[in-house]
């Protein structure tokens, strides 16, 4: 019985997606070197990631002034909204 439970648990854990925090620094580096896909991904993280810490980190790396303004006005987390002002 125990071995069956262990196998079921192992199967369940192996089937679960690994939720990794996005590498914002890597995306920022690639974006600064002209990789447009990285710039787009960085902007998506800054605007839409569920984790406010990830959004804040991405906002710190953005150079898109219209997007920074939008985030400063509209983000649900006041700490994220304050980042564009402190980065100026």
């Amino acid at each position: 019985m125990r071995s069956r439970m262990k196998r079921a648990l192992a199967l369940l854990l192996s089937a679960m997606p690994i939720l990794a925090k996005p590498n914002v620094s890597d995306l920022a580096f690639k974006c600064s070197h002209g990789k447009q896909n990285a710039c787009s991904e960085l902007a998506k993280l800054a605007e839409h990631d569920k984790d406010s810490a990830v959004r804040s980190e991405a906002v710190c790396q953005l150079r898109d002034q219209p997007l920074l303004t939008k985030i400063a006005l509209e983000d649900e987390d006041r700490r994220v909204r304050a980042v564009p002002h402190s980065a100026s």
Side-chain angles (χ1 to χ4, degrees):
M1 184 72 159
R2 273 194 166 168
S3 64
R4 232 188 275 175
M5 287 176 57
K6 285 182 181 179
R7 279 185 279 173
L9 182 59
L11 181 61
L12 176 65
L13 292 175
S14 67
M16 294 176 71
I18 297 173
L19 302 175
K21 187 175 173 183
N23 190 338
V24 174
S25 298
D26 186 51
L27 287 172
F29 176 80
K30 289 176 181 177
C31 180
S32 70
H33 285 84
K35 304 290 185 188
Q36 289 303 308
N37 287 344
C39 295
S40 296
E41 187 63 28
L42 188 62
K44 284 180 196 173
L45 290 175
E47 196 171 8
H48 301 293
D49 199 88
K50 291 180 182 178
D51 184 346
S52 64
V54 172
R55 290 195 314 275
S56 291
E57 189 179 354
V59 165
C60 286
Q61 303 296 329
L62 283 178
R63 300 294 171 254
D64 180 339
Q65 289 302 314
L67 182 55
L68 287 170
T69 300
K70 181 179 186 216
I71 291 168
L73 294 172
E74 298 176 1
D75 196 273
E76 63 191 34
D77 188 312
R78 67 178 175 79
R79 292 169 295 190
V80 177
R81 288 192 310 267
V83 171
H85 298 295
S86 63
S88 302

